Amino acid sequence: MSIRRMILAGVLALVLSACGVAVPADKVDYVGEWKADAMSLLITRDGSVVYERMKKGAKTSIDAPLKGFEGDDFKVGIGPMETTFKVTAPPHQVGDRWLMTVDGVELTRQ
């Protein structure tokens, strides 16, 4: 295999590994913009995820595709780099508000 083909194969593998998955129909309640005082989470139907959190003066942010769900938890990342969001209370409606608890923080859908 030529160097050019190996480079092309590597680039193609990287591009394919960066592609996320759409939110499955049984998890559609996760879609939306979720907020708490020091945390925000945006999950789009096509599987894009944008996360920001301030904790002890440090900001953490992630802008990456959804890799999939494991029970109520979901994984986000590119290639071998991923993070798991622990969902202890999946999306549910209380009165006229939608709530979800992720990584110990109760979020409200906007």
Side-chain angles (χ1 to χ4, degrees):
M1 181 181 261
S2 73
I3 296 283
R4 187 174 185 175
R5 284 190 177 182
M6 287 191 311
I7 291 171
L8 183 58
V11 169
L12 182 59
L14 182 62
V15 168
L16 291 176
S17 71
C19 297
V21 297
V23 175
D26 65 328
K27 300 292 186 184
V28 74
D29 288 343
Y30 284 72
V31 173
E33 183 178 10
W34 300 86
K35 292 199 176 208
D37 285 340
M39 183 171 161
S40 66
L41 175 66
L42 172 66
I43 303 172
T44 64
R45 183 73 175 107
D46 70 357
S48 298
V49 178
V50 179
Y51 164 85
E52 287 188 355
R53 184 173 184 183
M54 288 294 294
K55 186 176 180 181
K56 297 183 181 179
K59 180 179 176 181
T60 302
S61 62
I62 298 170
D63 186 347
L66 176 69
K67 293 185 90 174
F69 283 85
E70 291 181 0
D72 292 330
D73 301 340
F74 57 96
K75 291 186 178 214
V76 174
I78 298 173
M81 297 182 347
E82 67 181 34
T83 190
T84 300
F85 289 86
K86 298 290 183 186
V87 179
T88 52
H92 60 284
Q93 194 167 7
V94 176
D96 61 346
R97 297 174 35 199
W98 278 87
L99 305 173
M100 171 170 62
T101 303
V102 179
D103 293 340
V105 178
E106 185 177 64
L107 302 167
T108 303
R109 186 161 59 197
Q110 303 299 297

